[in-house]
């Protein structure tokens, strides 16, 4: 097989491994903040959904809507792709003490009862 053909086969295999409802995520980071850390990154889902919870070994994260003031919400809409950062309309905030370079395991739950496990690294 040529390199291009091999790369195409690998790409198709990776795409086929995600089912229609399965969420895909890019690498996430945690930005230390006052008394905790803010989740930074992009969440991608195949169909519009809602993020209903995020947990770590330190406990449950707060889901916030910050338009214009931040308030705790029960769910965050994910219309396909959602950028999470410290200046966006929606934020996910974990409480606790974090050290730069620390890896944190996260569990994300979506409305359709889908659960996604991933890791986030604490930024510097």
């Amino acid at each position: 097989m040529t390199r291009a053909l091999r790369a195409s086969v690998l790409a198709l295999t990776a795409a086929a491994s995600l089912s229609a409802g399965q969420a895909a995520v890019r690498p996430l980071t945690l930005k230390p903040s006052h008394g905790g850390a803010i989740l930074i990154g992009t969440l991608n889902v195949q169909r519009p959904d809602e993020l209903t919870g995020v947990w770590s070994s330190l406990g449950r994260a707060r889901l916030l809507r910050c338009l214009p003031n931040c308030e705790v919400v029960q769910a965050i809409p994910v219309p396909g792709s959602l950028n999470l950062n410290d200046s966006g309309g929606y934020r996910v905030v974990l409480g606790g003490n974090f050290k730069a370079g620390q890896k944190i395991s996260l569990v994300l739950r979506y409305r359709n009862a889908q659960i996604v496990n991933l890791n986030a690294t604490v930024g510097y």
Side-chain angles (χ1 to χ4, degrees):
M1 265 194 246
T2 66
R3 272 192 176 164
L5 181 57
R6 207 174 295 153
S8 296
V9 169
L10 287 174
L12 288 172
T13 303
S17 67
L18 289 176
S19 66
Q22 190 173 19
V25 292
R26 292 183 186 169
L28 300 174
T29 60
L30 290 166
K31 180 180 178 183
S33 156
H34 303 289
I38 299 171
L39 190 62
I40 307 290
T42 303
L43 300 178
N44 294 308
V45 292
Q46 296 292 330
R47 296 177 299 202
D49 205 345
E50 288 184 322
L51 182 64
T52 59
V54 177
W55 292 266
S56 75
S57 60
L58 300 171
R60 185 174 181 162
R62 300 278 187 217
L63 305 178
L64 303 174
R65 181 180 64 217
C66 297
L67 299 169
N69 298 323
C70 291
E71 61 183 38
V72 175
V73 294
Q74 296 298 313
I76 295 175
V78 183
S81 180
L82 175 66
N83 290 319
L84 295 171
N85 56 50
D86 56 350
S87 62
Y90 292 97
R91 299 177 193 170
V92 175
V93 180
L94 289 160
N97 295 319
F98 299 93
K99 296 178 184 175
Q102 180 181 4
K103 298 228 185 262
I104 304 292
S105 294
L106 299 173
V107 177
L108 281 67
R109 181 165 188 210
Y110 291 90
R111 176 79 56 206
N112 68 9
Q114 178 187 359
I115 295 178
V116 177
N117 296 306
L118 54 98
N119 290 317
T121 305
V122 179
Y124 296 92

